[in-house]
């Protein structure tokens, strides 16, 4: 019997795979993929006391090109189940929509990938090249022991991915209206500005870091970091948190801590942004300390075989012309692109991701399955 994307979606939603818990989701996928002839490898990683993360790499065939479906079975916590119209881990169809945590982000996409692969093999036999799956349980968490570690293992094994389709929910209104061909980079920094603590009645004996930092933070917020380009909007800067003070009304604080974030295009570099922040802070005469973390570098898949194949599949199945975009947050595509791999993201409509009563149109599952099947046919036959 052919695999049914709706049935597999419901089975995956029943798995309580809140990051980093596997919850049975990867066990289920391994069983289904082995039934299609895939060789499956489970990879469990941990680091610096972080919880173990279970990952799955499966491959059918040994030749190149290797076309990879990538995604994650881990989901964000559902919050209070009482806020949901139905149990978040008991899938339910109401008014033509499938409800459950992970329905949109992104268990249904993975189910459609497996069902589309099953249909491809039934209609075409063995692919010209290979089909693989890279499924992690660490995308919604710190992303330390998931896809990034699997890619390191793959490099050691001599495994190469030529083209990758990530099943992130990319569409805005209807299925097929948008694909992601890249993502902005994400650069974070904790800025600590030093002052001198004192009594508010004797300000001449203190140095208020809030007063000192305010003009510098305003200058950072007003700065034009770049103009973007044909594929990316201009780099954005946001202050996401500011903390200072002891809670007392009569104490000048000794330091201020601010969290800042850049979402940056390929027109800027990590090193360039870091230097410009230092220059602005220095210009305001601040005593400061910076702690930087890079969540991901920007990547871009320019028009070519992969984007053409995915776009043609969307057109064939839905009749729609898709819009390539680099908007949104980060995804595991940022890690896969570092291998020199073409990466395109296409999944369900993203209107309810991470929300109470997360859902997907049930009919979209068949369409998404067909799009994935046609993509394989265009690239591997």
């Amino acid at each position: 019997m052919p695999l049914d994307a709706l049935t597999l979606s419901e089975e995956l939603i029943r798995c309580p795979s809140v990051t980093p818990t596997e919850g049975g989701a990867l066990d289920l996928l391994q069983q289904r993929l082995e039934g299609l002839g895939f060789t499956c490898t489970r990879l469990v990683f941990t680091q610096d006391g972080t919880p173990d993360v279970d990952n799955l790499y499966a491959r059918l065939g040994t030749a190149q090109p290797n076309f990879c479906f990538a995604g994650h079975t881990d989901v964000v916590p559902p919050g209070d189940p009482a806020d949901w119209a139905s149990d978040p881990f008991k899938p339910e169809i109401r008014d033509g929509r499938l409800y459950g945590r992970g329905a949109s982000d992104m268990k249904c996409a993975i189910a459609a990938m497996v069902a589309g692969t099953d249909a491809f093999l039934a209609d075409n036999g063995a692919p010209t090249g290979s089909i693989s799956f890279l499924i992690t349980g660490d995308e919604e968490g710190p992303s330390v022991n998931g896809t990034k570690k699997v890619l390191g293992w793959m490099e050691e094994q001599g495994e190469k991915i030529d083209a990758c389709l990530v099943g992130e929910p990319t569409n805005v209104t209807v299925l097929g209206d948008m694909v992601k061909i890249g993502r902005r980079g994400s650069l974070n920094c904790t800025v600590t500005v030093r002052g001198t603590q004192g009594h508010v009645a004797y300000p001449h004996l203190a140095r208020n870091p809030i007063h000192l930092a305010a003009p510098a933070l305003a200058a950072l917020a007003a700065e034009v970091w770049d103009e973007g380009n044909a594929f990316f909007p201009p780099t954005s800067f946001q202050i996401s948190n500011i903390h200072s003070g002891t809670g007392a009304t009569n104490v000048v604080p000794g330091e201020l801590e601010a969290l800042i974030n850049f979402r940056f295009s390929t027109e800027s570099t990590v090193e360039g942004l870091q230097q410009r922040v230092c220059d602005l802070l220095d210009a305001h005469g601040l005593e400061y300390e910076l702690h930087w973390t890079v969540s991901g570098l920007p990547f871009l898949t320019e028009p070519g075989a992969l984007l053409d194949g995915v776009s043609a599949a969307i057109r064939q199945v839905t009749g729609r012309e898709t819009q390539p975009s680099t908007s949104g947050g980060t995804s595991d595509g940022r890690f896969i692109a570092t291998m020199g791999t073409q990466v395109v993201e296409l999944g369900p409509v993203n209107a309810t991701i991470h929300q109470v009563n997360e859902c997907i149109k049930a009919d979209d599952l068949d369409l998404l399955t067909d799009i994935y099947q046609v993509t394989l046919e265009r690239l591997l036959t």
Side-chain angles (χ1 to χ4, degrees):
M1 292 290 293
L3 285 170
D4 176 62
L6 176 59
T7 300
L8 183 54
S9 295
E10 292 173 327
E11 291 174 330
L12 287 170
I13 290 171
R14 290 190 187 97
C15 300
S17 52
V18 176
T19 312
T21 303
E22 186 269 332
L26 294 181
D27 290 341
L28 176 61
L29 286 176
Q30 179 173 346
Q31 182 184 40
R32 297 292 185 272
L33 290 171
E34 286 179 342
L36 297 179
F38 281 77
T39 298
C40 295
T41 303
R42 294 290 281 275
L43 299 155
V44 179
F45 298 111
T46 189
Q47 176 181 317
D48 299 331
T50 56
D52 290 349
V53 172
D54 202 343
N55 304 276
L56 170 65
Y57 179 70
R59 182 165 178 169
L60 177 68
T62 58
Q64 301 300 126
N66 180 9
F67 178 91
C68 182
F69 286 115
H72 62 92
T73 52
D74 62 314
V75 297
V76 295
D80 188 350
D83 293 334
W84 289 64
S86 56
D87 190 316
F89 294 112
K90 291 183 179 178
E92 183 173 303
I93 296 178
R94 302 191 303 274
D95 300 323
R97 293 182 177 273
L98 173 63
Y99 287 83
R101 176 55 88 217
S104 181
D105 190 14
M106 54 174 285
K107 290 182 173 181
C108 289
I110 293 175
M113 290 170 175
V114 177
T117 299
D118 177 47
F120 168 84
L121 295 173
D123 291 348
N124 301 278
T128 302
S130 302
I131 304 173
S132 60
F133 282 75
L134 196 171
I135 310 297
T136 183
D138 189 37
E139 198 274 347
E140 299 289 9
S143 298
V144 171
N145 297 312
T147 297
K148 192 174 183 180
K149 289 278 187 72
V150 175
L151 293 174
W153 171 84
M154 290 178 65
E155 186 174 3
E156 293 173 357
Q157 303 300 311
E159 289 276 333
K160 183 179 185 298
I161 298 173
D162 298 285
C164 181
L165 196 157
V166 184
E168 287 291 343
T170 57
N171 296 287
V172 180
T173 305
V174 293
L175 189 70
D177 65 11
M178 182 175 288
V179 297
K180 299 296 174 70
I181 59 171
R183 297 279 187 162
R184 295 173 296 173
S186 179
L187 175 63
N188 307 288
C189 186
T190 301
V191 181
T192 303
V193 177
R194 311 290 184 193
T196 302
Q197 185 173 310
H199 197 294
V200 295
Y202 302 92
H204 59 288
L205 300 179
R207 294 172 59 250
N208 192 321
I210 300 175
H211 297 178
L212 296 172
L217 293 175
L220 288 169
E223 183 75 1
V224 177
W225 301 95
D226 62 47
E227 299 291 344
N229 55 38
F231 299 102
F232 287 94
T235 290
S236 67
F237 168 88
Q238 289 292 311
I239 302 168
S240 57
N241 189 278
I242 295 178
H243 176 76
S244 187
T246 64
T249 60
N250 59 352
V251 178
V252 173
E255 67 178 34
L256 173 145
E257 183 177 277
L259 305 182
I260 64 174
N261 174 265
F262 289 96
R263 293 300 168 104
F264 62 104
S265 75
T266 50
E267 294 297 305
S268 291
T269 65
V270 169
E271 296 77 15
L273 293 172
Q274 290 173 333
Q275 185 59 55
R276 290 175 66 183
V277 169
C278 290
D279 291 344
L280 276 167
L281 297 179
D282 289 340
H284 286 80
L286 299 181
E287 180 186 346
Y288 63 88
E289 184 176 326
L290 305 178
H291 292 283
W292 297 95
T293 57
V294 180
S295 299
L297 297 174
F299 73 90
L300 176 68
T301 296
E302 297 193 35
L306 177 59
L307 179 58
D308 290 348
V310 172
S311 299
I314 293 171
R315 188 182 311 114
Q316 179 177 328
V317 174
T318 69
R320 300 185 180 104
E321 294 294 335
T322 194
Q323 175 64 44
S325 173
T326 60
S327 63
T330 59
S331 77
D332 277 359
R334 69 189 188 274
F335 302 129
I336 300 167
T338 62
M339 302 176 71
T341 304
Q342 287 191 320
V343 179
V344 166
E345 301 177 21
L346 171 65
V349 174
N350 61 21
T352 63
I353 58 174
H354 294 201
Q355 295 183 16
V356 169
N357 296 321
E358 180 181 352
C359 63
I360 179 178
K361 286 180 64 177
D363 289 346
D364 280 355
L365 276 167
D366 289 335
L367 295 176
L368 194 56
T369 297
D370 291 344
I371 291 171
Y372 291 154
Q373 177 186 354
V374 174
T375 297
L376 289 173
E377 290 171 345
R378 290 184 172 272
L379 296 176
L380 295 181
T381 58

